């Protein structure tokens, strides 16, 4: 048996609890009833996992009574994001098919149609299929529902030729073909209650230990399933003979002994104590005296109930749906958790007024959905489903900046009909500047305020040129888009404006950008050398609150504050939906209470602990403590984001990542005769780079030979091509009995590509492959003309030399590549894959 410790590996826990159903008995198509105990299941397990030390900040997510599309959308996101452990928990109604070969998890809209299926349900086979394809190393599924034990048989029958399902482990609340009792509104269901207690008991808790301890506790407490059968938890294949997974890593010992079943008087005592607190306030007596006075008026629990007038359990609280920018998720989730258990959200009887479900999604996608697709959010379609792609319709939206609200309003004004109305609060709830997080060793002596982003980057690049600049995905989070505005400068054509292609070339060349700043900072330590030279554009609060990756592996960073990059100013926006007025008054009250708490002292404390600054006045830290090392106590704000500039920057970013243009220059002079044939010859090397190009990319090939007015011959005309067409052109290429004119060919190529890119900012690349035998022509004035044109054309030049020393310092190929912000590759490099990667960064083919 192997043991998997997932700490700091990028984990996800998705806790799904369906406590409220739209269709219940006596409706003949409804489920058997509501499940108020499941609300306690969600919070108990969420609290235990958050305290357990395995899941980091923002890695545990709850989903309250979702519709099927909400569930599958959240599941797909978790599968996509998880890298270490993915834990899926489900509590709610479930039924089996007539044959018993399938288990159907019933979501909020579930109905049972005799002979016509189970709308509103999700098959467990579908869930397993999604989990098997996830990026996680290990998956744990925990089911607390009727027929949970049937899941093991479905696991065994799943068609999985690649054996991907073998990373999935199951823990089930009851044996096969058994139903369990729904519990009461007072406490969580027995299986989840005991599981949360074991996880919360302290010390390391492995999945095998959890199974054994819960099974023992439930047997000792004599919990019953329906028909008075004992309720016995199940594992995938007990005794445990598969991989084991660490689920908690607290400091204390694990408690494994049984506890008695919960007595029914606990909620009443909670009510008593709440009323005692009120009595203290009214009478001035001590709390014990007030409690004794209440006890003296009644004989036991029933007398207390008669006195207080509390004759039943708490009502299920209304659930607020909050949609946020991904960078804000850890802080807002922590604030929501604190609010839910606060006095502001608790009645005098000790009941919760509302719950809060926090969901994050890509900022650009949210702006589009709220501005242009509210009809699809109301009535999802297979090809257009914001509920699946983004999340449930929000009651509250907290974008990274008020400019997002303006963008939504502009887009909505162009629609014939909108189904959502935004009501933003006037002031932001907090502030965080976007900073350059610079490794401390590189930031020594750096003037950290009073400079533009471009000047800061110039200062960092001067000493040794080793600094690498990183930024998250501007389409996914506002902080990255604001940073991109600083990188691009003013509108194209304005004096000092940066070309988007040129700015993107200044970023470290990696794969797809990370979706959030926190993920970016966690990714840098994957390579110690990169971590030590990696400068990241991120919101400042992450440098104070920390992130979910292991701090020991991270280089210490200081913050530099560019004065031309707007900061994050999270906006609190009430979202009202058409036909959503059934509980409008209660929902308004819940939203108002959450807003008052979040902008009041308690909310400011939580946001301050996460590193945010005051939203108004001097931008000092919210918490009354000194700024930690590397940050500045108070900063001058760079101004609020302009929606038009944000929109234009996003457009320019998209253009810079549209299908690319590549012009290949192949030295075909006589000296190439010995370096022509086979996969390591000139044409063969270029052919191996073609998979980096896609069907929408434009490219062409010039054979470079001759001097004077004719420096090249066109082997493949510039345009879109099938790969076979390009390969045939290279197969037909021949060495010419002529010298080459590298300066003339490069000048022609740079002019040609500059003209192609005059009207857009699509990525472009020139590749010049040569043996270097004609480098003698690249000297003096001829070389300087090439360098000048390469520096101003905005087209990177990849110089590929078949000589071992072609890219030595001060060689012409090296200087031209540097001037054109490209790369120089020679025979001393792993040349073929390196060139393929260069082409793939420009094209849309294989990466």
């Amino acid at each position: 048996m192997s043991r998997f410790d997932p700490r700091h590996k990028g984990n996800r826990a998705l806790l799904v609890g369906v406590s409220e159903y739209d269709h219940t008995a006596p409706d003949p198509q409804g489920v058997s009833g509501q499940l108020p105990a499941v609300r306690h299941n969600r919070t108990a397990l969420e609290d235990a996992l958050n305290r357990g030390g395995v899941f980091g900040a923002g890695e545990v997510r709850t989903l309250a009574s979702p519709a099927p599309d909400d569930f599958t959308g959240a599941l797909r996101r978790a599968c996509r994001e998880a890298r270490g452990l993915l834990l899926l928990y489900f509590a709610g109604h479930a039924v089996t098919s007539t044959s018993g070969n399938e288990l159907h998890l019933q979501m909020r809209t579930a109905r049972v149609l005799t002979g016509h299926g189970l709308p509103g349900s999700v098959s467990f086979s579908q869930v397993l299929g999604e989990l098997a394809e996830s990026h996680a190393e290990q998956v744990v599924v925990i089911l607390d529902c009727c027929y949970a034990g049937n899941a093991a048989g479905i696991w065994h029958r799943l068609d999985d030729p690649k054996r991907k399902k073998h990373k999935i482990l199951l823990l089930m609340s009851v044996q096969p073909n058994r139903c369990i009792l729904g519990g009461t509104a007072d406490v969580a269901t027995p299986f989840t209650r005991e599981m949360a207690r074991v996880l919360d008991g302290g010390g390391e808790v492995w999945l095998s230990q959890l199974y054994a301890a819960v099974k023992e506790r439930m047997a000792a407490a004599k919990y019953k399933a329906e028909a008075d059968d004992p309720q016995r938890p199940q594992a995938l294949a007990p005794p445990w003979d598969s991989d084991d997974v660490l689920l908690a890593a607290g400091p204390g010992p694990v408690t494994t002994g049984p506890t008695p079943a919960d007595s029914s008087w606990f909620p009443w005592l909670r009510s008593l104590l709440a009323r005692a607190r009120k009595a203290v306030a009214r009478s001035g007596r001590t709390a014990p005296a007030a409690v004794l006075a209440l006890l003296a008026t009644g004989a036991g629990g029933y007398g207390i109930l008669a006195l207080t007038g509390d004759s039943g359990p708490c009502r299920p609280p209304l659930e607020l749906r909050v949609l946020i920018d991904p960078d804000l998720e850890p802080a807002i989730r922590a604030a929501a958790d604190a609010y839910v258990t606060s006095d502001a959200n608790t009645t005098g009887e000790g009941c919760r007024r509302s719950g809060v479900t926090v969901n994050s999604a890509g900022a650009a996608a949210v702006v589009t959905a709220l501005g242009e697709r509210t009809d699809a959010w109301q009535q999802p379609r297979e090809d257009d489903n914001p509920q699946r792609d983004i999340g449930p319709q929000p009651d509250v939206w907290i974008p990274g900046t008020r400019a997002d609200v303006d963008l939504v309003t502009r887009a909505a004004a162009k629609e014939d009909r909108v189904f959502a109305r935004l009501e933003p609060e006037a002031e932001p709830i907090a502030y965080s500047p976007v900073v350059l997080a610079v490794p401390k060793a590189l930031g020594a002596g750096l003037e950290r305020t009073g400079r533009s982003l471009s000047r800061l980057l110039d200062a960092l690049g001067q000493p040794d040129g080793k600094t690498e600049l990183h930024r998250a995905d501007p389409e996914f989070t506002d902080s990255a888009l604001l940073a991109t505005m600083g990188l691009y400068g003013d509108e194209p054509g304005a004096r000092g404006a940066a070309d988007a292609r040129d700015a993107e070339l200044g970023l470290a060349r990696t794969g797809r950008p990370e979706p959030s700043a926190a993920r970016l900072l966690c990714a840098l330590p994957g390579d110690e050398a990169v971590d030590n030279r990696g400068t990241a554009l991120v919101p400042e609060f992450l440098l104070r609150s920390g992130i979910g990756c292991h701090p020991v592996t991270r280089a210490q960073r200081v913050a530099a504050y560019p004065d031309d990059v707007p900061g994050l100013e999270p906006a609190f926006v009430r979202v009202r939906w058409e036909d959503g007025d059934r509980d409008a008054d209660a929902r308004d009250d819940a939203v108002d209470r959450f807003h008052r708490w979040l902008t009041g002292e308690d909310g400011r404390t939580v946001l301050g602990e996460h590193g945010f600054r005051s939203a108004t006045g001097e931008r000092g830290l919210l918490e009354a403590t000194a700024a930690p090392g590397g940050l500045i106590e108070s900063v001058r704000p760079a101004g609020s984001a302009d929606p038009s500039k944000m929109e234009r920057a996003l457009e320019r970013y998209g253009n810079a990542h549209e299908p690319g243009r590549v012009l290949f220059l192949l030295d075909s002079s006589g000296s190439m005769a010995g370096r022509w044939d086979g996969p390591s010859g000139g044409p063969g090397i270029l052919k191996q780079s073609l998979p980096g190009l896609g069907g929408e990319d434009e490219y062409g090939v010039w054979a470079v030979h001759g001097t004077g007015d004719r420096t090249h011959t066109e082997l493949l005309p510039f345009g879109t091509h099938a790969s076979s067409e390009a390969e045939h052109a290279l197969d037909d290429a021949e060495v010419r009995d002529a010298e080459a004119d590298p300066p003339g060919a490069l000048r022609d190529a740079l002019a040609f590509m500059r003209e192609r890119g005059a009207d857009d900012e699509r990525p472009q690349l020139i590749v010049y492959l040569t043996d270097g035998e004609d480098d003698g022509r690249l000297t003096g004035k001829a070389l300087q003309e090439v360098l000048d044109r390469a520096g101003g054309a905005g087209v990177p030049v990849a110089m590929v030399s078949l000589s071992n020393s072609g890219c030595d310092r001060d060689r012409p190929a090296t200087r031209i590549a540097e001037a054109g912000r490209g790369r120089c590759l020679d025979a001393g490099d792993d040349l073929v894959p390196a060139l393929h990667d260069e082409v793939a960064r420009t094209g849309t083919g294989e990466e």
Side-chain angles (χ1 to χ4, degrees):
M1 177 179 71
S2 62
R3 309 189 94 191
F4 177 63
D5 183 346
R7 283 176 286 186
H8 320 302
K9 290 181 179 285
N11 307 313
R12 289 293 183 272
L14 180 60
L15 312 183
V16 182
V18 189
S19 51
E20 283 81 41
Y21 285 85
D22 293 346
H23 309 282
T24 59
D27 182 342
Q29 297 178 355
V31 300
S32 58
Q34 308 290 8
L35 296 173
V38 170
R39 304 188 72 84
H40 299 286
N41 288 18
R42 288 196 307 265
T43 55
L45 189 55
E46 181 183 19
D47 291 346
L49 292 178
N50 277 325
R51 287 192 291 263
V54 167
F55 293 92
E59 292 185 343
V60 180
R61 300 176 180 174
T62 61
L63 204 57
S65 301
D69 284 345
D70 300 336
F71 168 73
T72 55
L75 177 62
R76 287 169 187 157
R77 283 195 297 275
C79 290
R80 190 168 58 244
E81 294 172 359
R83 292 297 183 270
L85 171 63
L86 172 55
L87 186 150
L88 172 65
Y89 167 86
F90 174 81
H93 285 301
V95 294
T96 61
S97 59
T98 305
S99 64
N101 289 333
E102 185 57 84
L103 177 66
H104 297 272
L105 309 181
Q106 295 182 294
M107 303 299 156
R108 174 177 54 80
T109 58
R111 291 184 295 150
V112 180
L113 305 181
T114 304
H116 295 281
L118 297 164
S121 300
V122 179
S123 72
F124 189 64
S125 294
Q126 177 185 346
V127 172
L128 284 179
E130 294 281 359
L131 294 172
E133 296 295 331
S134 73
H135 297 306
E137 293 183 52
Q138 194 75 60
V139 178
V140 172
V141 181
I142 301 175
L143 300 177
D144 190 359
C145 58
C146 292
Y147 308 108
N150 291 50
I154 298 167
W155 183 95
H156 285 293
R157 289 191 297 271
L158 184 68
D159 183 20
D160 181 32
K162 295 183 179 179
R163 298 174 65 84
K164 292 182 179 181
K165 72 179 183 183
H166 286 263
K167 66 182 178 182
I168 303 174
L169 305 177
L170 301 180
L171 187 57
M172 300 153 281
S173 63
V174 70
Q175 54 268 48
N177 302 316
R178 299 289 199 286
C179 267
I180 57 176
L181 301 174
T184 70
D186 302 334
V187 291
T189 56
F191 173 72
T192 298
R193 185 162 72 242
E194 298 298 349
M195 184 170 58
R197 285 171 174 164
V198 174
L199 289 170
D200 225 4
E204 290 190 350
V205 181
W206 295 81
L207 183 57
S208 60
Q209 295 173 303
L210 177 66
Y211 167 60
V214 171
K215 188 174 182 179
E216 177 186 347
R217 294 166 71 93
M218 292 188 71
K222 299 182 179 180
Y223 290 115
K224 300 289 185 180
E226 283 190 347
D228 209 34
D229 284 345
Q231 181 179 349
R232 300 191 186 97
Q234 307 288 300
L236 181 63
W240 209 270
D241 60 1
S242 183
D243 293 343
D244 210 351
V245 180
L246 184 69
L247 296 180
V254 177
T255 303
T256 58
T259 58
D262 282 35
S263 300
S264 59
W265 53 266
F266 177 76
W268 304 347
L269 180 58
R270 182 175 58 188
S271 175
L272 166 68
L273 294 175
R275 297 203 175 254
R277 286 196 297 269
K278 287 187 176 181
V280 171
R282 287 194 304 266
S283 67
R285 291 182 292 180
T286 63
V291 173
L292 289 174
L294 286 174
L295 286 172
T297 63
Y302 292 104
I304 294 170
L305 283 178
L307 173 70
T308 62
D310 188 354
S311 59
C314 300
R315 288 184 178 182
L318 180 149
E319 194 74 14
L320 284 182
R321 303 177 298 264
V322 180
L323 178 62
I324 59 175
D325 183 281
D327 277 342
L328 304 178
E329 184 168 3
I332 299 299
R333 188 176 291 278
D337 291 344
Y339 168 72
V340 165
T341 57
S342 70
D343 288 343
N345 192 45
T346 305
T347 68
E349 291 73 30
C351 299
R352 288 184 180 176
R353 298 180 186 274
S354 66
V356 181
T357 298
V358 177
N359 179 53
S360 68
V366 171
V367 167
T368 300
L370 284 173
E372 303 173 13
R373 299 167 56 203
T374 50
D375 58 335
W377 221 324
Q378 289 277 72
Q379 295 292 331
R381 302 183 292 271
E382 182 61 33
D383 61 337
D384 190 5
N385 189 346
Q387 290 195 25
R388 174 194 63 210
D389 302 331
I390 293 175
Q393 295 163 289
D395 302 303
V396 175
W397 175 37
I398 304 181
T401 169
R402 173 66 182 262
D404 284 344
V405 182
D406 296 334
L407 291 173
V408 168
T409 304
R410 290 182 188 180
K414 300 175 184 177
E415 298 295 310
D416 294 334
R417 187 180 178 192
V418 293
F419 295 82
R421 187 174 79 252
L422 306 185
E423 297 178 359
E425 294 294 329
E427 297 294 334
I429 61 176
Y431 174 75
S432 181
V434 175
V435 301
L436 269 175
V438 185
K440 191 173 182 180
L442 298 178
L446 180 68
E447 188 178 338
R448 296 194 285 141
T449 60
R451 290 187 175 192
S452 66
L453 178 57
S454 61
R455 290 182 61 197
L456 284 169
L457 292 174
D458 287 344
L460 282 171
Q462 286 171 358
D464 52 23
K466 293 182 179 179
T467 303
E468 288 187 356
L469 180 62
H470 298 261
R471 176 213 56 201
D473 189 342
E475 294 182 321
F476 208 74
T477 180
D478 277 342
S479 70
L481 180 55
L482 298 175
T484 301
M485 291 166 58
L487 288 172
Y488 291 177
D490 298 323
E491 293 293 310
R495 185 176 180 181
D499 184 281
R501 293 169 301 187
D502 191 57
E504 292 296 318
L505 286 170
L507 294 164
R509 297 191 177 191
T510 59
R512 288 187 60 83
E514 294 293 340
S516 69
R519 290 280 294 274
L520 170 61
L521 289 175
C522 278
L524 292 180
D527 183 325
E528 185 176 353
V530 172
D531 194 26
N532 289 331
R533 65 175 181 266
T535 295
L537 282 159
V538 296
E540 180 206 38
F541 73 87
L542 287 175
L543 301 184
R544 186 159 188 256
S545 62
I547 51 179
C549 52
H550 202 300
V552 174
T553 64
R554 294 170 54 214
Q556 187 176 357
R557 288 178 166 80
V558 298
Y561 297 79
D563 61 9
D564 60 342
V565 177
L568 286 181
E569 296 180 298
F572 191 98
V573 185
R574 171 74 163 104
V575 186
R576 297 185 184 276
W577 293 90
E578 185 171 304
D579 297 328
D581 54 358
R582 184 178 62 179
D583 58 354
D585 291 342
R587 203 160 287 275
D588 282 346
D589 179 67
V591 170
D592 290 343
R593 287 178 181 276
F594 180 48
H595 178 256
R596 284 196 300 271
W597 183 92
L598 188 62
T599 56
E601 182 179 353
D602 292 335
R604 287 166 57 85
T605 297
V606 175
L607 295 176
E609 290 170 350
H610 279 76
F612 279 91
R613 294 177 178 267
S614 171
T616 58
E618 186 178 351
R619 302 303 174 96
L621 298 171
L622 275 172
E623 235 187 340
T625 57
L631 303 185
I632 293 176
E633 186 70 37
S634 62
V635 297
R636 185 179 65 181
S640 298
D642 180 276
S644 296
K645 291 183 178 180
M646 287 181 67
E647 192 171 41
R648 180 60 182 143
L650 193 59
E651 179 184 353
R652 296 175 68 190
Y653 172 78
N655 289 340
H657 292 82
E658 285 288 306
R661 301 185 181 102
V662 180
L663 179 60
F664 295 97
L665 277 60
L666 174 61
D667 185 350
S668 303
S669 64
S671 63
M672 286 285 291
R675 302 173 182 268
W676 196 257
D677 297 325
S680 60
I685 292 172
L686 292 190
K687 283 170 64 176
Q688 293 173 78
S689 72
L690 293 179
L693 296 168
E696 296 182 355
D697 296 317
E698 295 179 285
Y699 59 100
V701 183
W702 290 359
V704 177
H705 58 85
T707 60
D709 294 336
R710 188 173 180 82
T711 63
H712 66 275
T713 300
E714 188 179 76
L715 285 178
L716 183 70
F718 197 83
T720 58
H721 303 282
S723 58
S724 58
E725 181 183 359
E727 290 173 1
H728 289 154
L730 289 168
D731 288 339
D732 293 340
E734 297 178 348
V735 176
R736 304 299 180 96
D737 185 13
E739 294 181 338
D741 181 9
L746 283 166
R747 288 195 304 268
D748 291 346
L750 287 162
F752 179 88
M753 293 298 281
R754 184 182 179 91
E755 182 181 351
R756 295 296 172 282
D759 297 327
D760 60 42
E761 295 177 283
R762 285 169 53 182
Q764 299 195 116
L765 177 68
I766 294 172
V767 176
Y768 184 23
L769 187 149
T770 177
D771 60 358
E773 293 296 327
D774 294 304
D775 279 2
R777 296 178 180 273
L778 282 167
T779 58
K781 181 180 178 181
L783 175 60
Q784 191 59 50
E785 288 178 352
V786 173
L787 295 178
D788 291 344
R789 186 165 292 187
V795 183
V797 181
M799 298 293 291
V800 183
S801 175
L802 300 182
S803 166
N804 283 320
S805 58
C807 291
D808 286 355
R809 198 70 197 158
D810 293 329
R811 290 294 298 267
T814 304
R815 296 180 64 187
I816 293 168
E818 289 178 349
R821 303 192 71 171
R823 288 184 67 185
C824 188
L825 304 170
D826 63 22
D829 298 305
D830 198 355
L831 203 153
V832 171
L835 179 58
H836 172 275
D837 289 347
E838 286 299 299
V839 172
R841 289 190 184 99
T842 305
T844 59
E846 297 177 5
E847 295 187 5

